[in-house]
Amino acid sequence: MAAKRGTKTSMKNMEKELLCPVCQEMYKQPLVLPCTHNVCQACAREVLGQQGYIGHGGDPSSEPTSPASTPSTRSPRLSRRTLPKPDRLDRLLKSGFGTYPGRKRGALHPQVIMFPCPACQGDVELGERGLAGLFRNLTLERVVERYRQSVSVGGAILCQLCKPPPLEATKGCTECRATFCNECFKLFHPWGTQKAQHEPTLPTLSFRPKGLMCPDHKEEVTHYCKTCQRLVCQLCRVRRTHSGHKITPVLSAYQALKDKLTKSLTYILGNQDTVQTQICELEETVRHTEVSGQQAKEEVSQLVRGLGAVLEEKRASLLQAIEECQQERLARLSTQLQEHRSLLDGSGLVGYAQEVLKETDQPCFVQAAKQLHNRIARATEALQTFRPAASSSFRHCQLDVGREMKLLTELNFLRVPEAPVIDTQRTFAYDQIFLCWRLPPHSPPAWHYTVEFRRTDVPAQQGPTRWQRREEVRGTSALLENPDTGSVYVLRVRGCNKAGYGEYSEDVHLHTPPAPGTTQTVGTTAVLRMPQWRRRHPLLS
């Protein structure tokens, strides 16, 4: 009972594998596309119709239901004509002359029919015959049939020959294309008749051919073309299209694929614990991704709000500066306006000056007119050399935001540094190894670098040496002290910033031949202290 329950559960779990990608229902007469995906025959016809292809949706696996419709008896002329021998047929194909069943006349420029596969989202070429050149996936049909029976989809299958009410069907007949109960099967397949030779099958609502038939020649497939990855019949083998191809019997292809599938399935079933561990890891990664994504959104929002706050503060200060400049100019212009109004006839200053001029007492006139003359002189000078006391233009308050707008437009997530470029002109091996590099022109900045180095001339029996690493190297150069003499070192470097580590630079190889030498201090470069090897003077590599 537990095993049966487990089988039903397994069948229920694979339901999504049995759904057509077009109608999202269980496959009905599925066709195998050249991209190895499947689609219902009716759905494929509908898709081709929507694409504008008319007359290319023939049934690729329809079987003749009567002797009159078989390939050899479609017409009296064809029935009297015998097929050419394989060698003769091959010569005809190579020469391009002659006709034979399955060959089309006048197909010099066949139409290329493209089918948009809903599974892989790619355009698949069907050839000039369209759906008629595709195989039906009979194995998938059988799996769908077993699934329907295991989960009782659609209820029981009833006998089609019983009088009402019909009994539940127990057998099916592919030749009769009907389902029977036990009594009706015996009744319609009596002993001593040709129908008694019919082999009963499980009851089904969809009858399939016994074997897989070639859609081109309606012959049973017997071989498999490895080059085309397609099943072929005997007539297909001698066609020019398969000349020079690797063709094997279908039994060999069956056994090879079955062994491969069995081996892969055994490996998967034997590593269920690993699969479950990886599932848990993926689920944990999904959770971390959700949390990290939310944190990234909050950080970006906070940074943008910070930029907005800085812009708002800057806006307030700039507006305050303009306001102060405007008030100062208005005050100066107001004073100048009042002075000019005092020069008009009938104004207080002119009237007062006219009254002062009526004074006849000379000392008193001099006393009163001295101050008045200074005011009149300033007003006269202002009148002769008139210009507004302040400019009305605020051009000096215009903002140049081109650079800032470009920066905001280019505002994007930080990228890792690009692979550094080794400066071969400044990189050398003397009594020390001096490595110098630079970043490409448009590379994001690097906060620090990681330098790795190892010897490459170690004897094979000792195995390959591991990379030695120096982290957080500042600047764009590094000094490796006390290298082994007469050795070949390979070095590489990569940058790092907040976004992570970038790609490694190309490897550079330096040779340190033996010779005496002295140690030099190289500016402010980072010194990577290596193990205390014997110090000798290596020559320039």
Side-chain angles (χ1 to χ4, degrees), residues 94-133:
K94 292 182 178 180
S95 61
F97 297 96
T99 59
Y100 56 91
R103 178 181 175 88
K104 292 186 176 181
R105 296 177 182 268
L108 297 178
H109 302 285
Q111 181 183 11
V112 178
I113 302 175
M114 305 301 295
F115 185 87
C117 178
C120 60
Q121 304 298 321
D123 291 335
V124 182
E125 183 176 347
L126 299 184
E128 57 180 301
R129 301 188 65 232
L131 300 180

Side-chain angles (χ1 to χ4, degrees), residues 61-348:
S61 59
S62 58
E63 283 191 315
T65 56
S66 66
S69 64
T70 59
S72 61
T73 58
R74 287 195 184 98
S75 66
R77 179 181 178 184
L78 186 60
S79 63
R80 294 193 299 268
R81 182 175 179 179
T82 58
L83 292 176
K85 295 181 179 180
D87 57 340
R88 169 63 177 167
L89 186 61
D90 186 54
R91 288 197 301 271
L92 289 174
L93 285 170
K94 292 182 178 180
S95 61
F97 297 96
T99 59
Y100 56 91
R103 178 181 175 88
K104 292 186 176 181
R105 296 177 182 268
L108 297 178
H109 302 285
Q111 181 183 11
V112 178
I113 302 175
M114 305 301 295
F115 185 87
C117 178
C120 60
Q121 304 298 321
D123 291 335
V124 182
E125 183 176 347
L126 299 184
E128 57 180 301
R129 301 188 65 232
L131 300 180
L134 301 180
F135 286 99
R136 274 177 64 177
N137 194 336
L138 301 182
T139 301
L140 181 57
E141 289 189 41
R142 297 185 183 98
V143 173
V144 171
E145 188 73 21
R146 289 197 295 269
Y147 173 81
R148 288 181 178 275
Q149 294 176 1
S150 65
V151 298
S152 301
V153 176
I157 300 177
L158 303 180
C159 176
Q160 296 177 339
L161 282 303
C162 278
K163 295 181 180 180
L167 299 177
E168 182 177 352
T170 59
K171 293 182 176 63
C173 181
T174 303
E175 285 81 2
C176 298
R177 302 180 67 85
T179 55
F180 304 87
C181 63
N182 288 331
E183 296 299 326
C184 289
F185 187 83
K186 295 177 181 179
L187 179 64
F188 284 89
H189 296 80
W191 288 101
T193 64
Q194 185 177 2
K195 288 188 175 182
Q197 305 294 329
H198 293 182
E199 183 179 354
T201 62
L202 293 175
T204 179
L205 297 177
S206 175
F207 289 95
R208 300 172 299 274
K210 287 184 177 180
L212 202 58
M213 310 299 291
C214 174
D216 294 332
H217 307 104
K218 304 303 179 184
E219 298 285 342
E220 184 177 0
V221 295
T222 56
H223 290 76
Y224 180 77
C225 179
K226 293 183 178 181
T227 306
C228 300
Q229 296 186 358
R230 179 182 174 90
L231 292 165
V232 294
C233 65
Q234 289 288 354
L235 291 176
C236 291
R237 289 186 60 194
V238 297
R239 292 184 64 182
R240 183 170 51 186
T241 54
H242 294 281
S243 176
H245 291 188
K246 295 181 179 179
I247 299 179
T248 61
V250 70
L251 178 61
S252 300
Y254 162 80
Q255 193 62 47
L257 288 175
K258 187 173 183 180
D259 292 343
K260 290 181 180 179
L261 183 59
T262 303
K263 184 178 180 180
S264 300
L265 188 59
T266 303
Y267 176 80
I268 292 176
L269 294 177
N271 290 273
Q272 291 296 292
D273 294 340
T274 303
V275 174
Q276 188 61 43
T277 302
Q278 293 176 356
I279 290 175
C280 295
E281 182 178 352
L282 288 174
E283 291 176 348
E284 187 68 20
T285 304
V286 169
R287 287 192 291 268
H288 282 301
T289 301
E290 293 175 349
V291 174
S292 300
Q294 189 62 33
Q295 291 177 353
K297 291 179 181 179
E298 294 176 357
E299 290 178 0
V300 170
S301 300
Q302 184 177 359
L303 289 174
V304 173
R305 284 196 298 267
L307 291 175
V310 172
L311 288 174
E312 183 62 28
E313 182 179 352
K314 193 64 176 178
R315 183 186 71 87
S317 64
L318 293 175
L319 293 180
Q320 180 64 26
I322 295 175
E323 179 68 22
E324 293 176 356
C325 180
Q326 182 184 23
Q327 294 300 327
E328 187 268 336
R329 289 187 180 186
L330 290 175
R332 290 162 58 187
L333 290 173
S334 178
T335 300
Q336 187 180 24
L337 181 60
Q338 292 178 3
E339 291 178 353
H340 276 67
R341 285 176 178 174
S342 66
L343 300 180
L344 294 176
D345 186 15
S347 64

Side-chain angles (χ1 to χ4, degrees), residues 518-534:
T518 57
T519 304
Q520 298 179 354
T521 302
V522 184
T524 58
T525 58
V527 176
L528 309 181
R529 301 202 174 272
M530 305 171 68
Q532 294 299 320
W533 299 307
R534 293 172 297 172

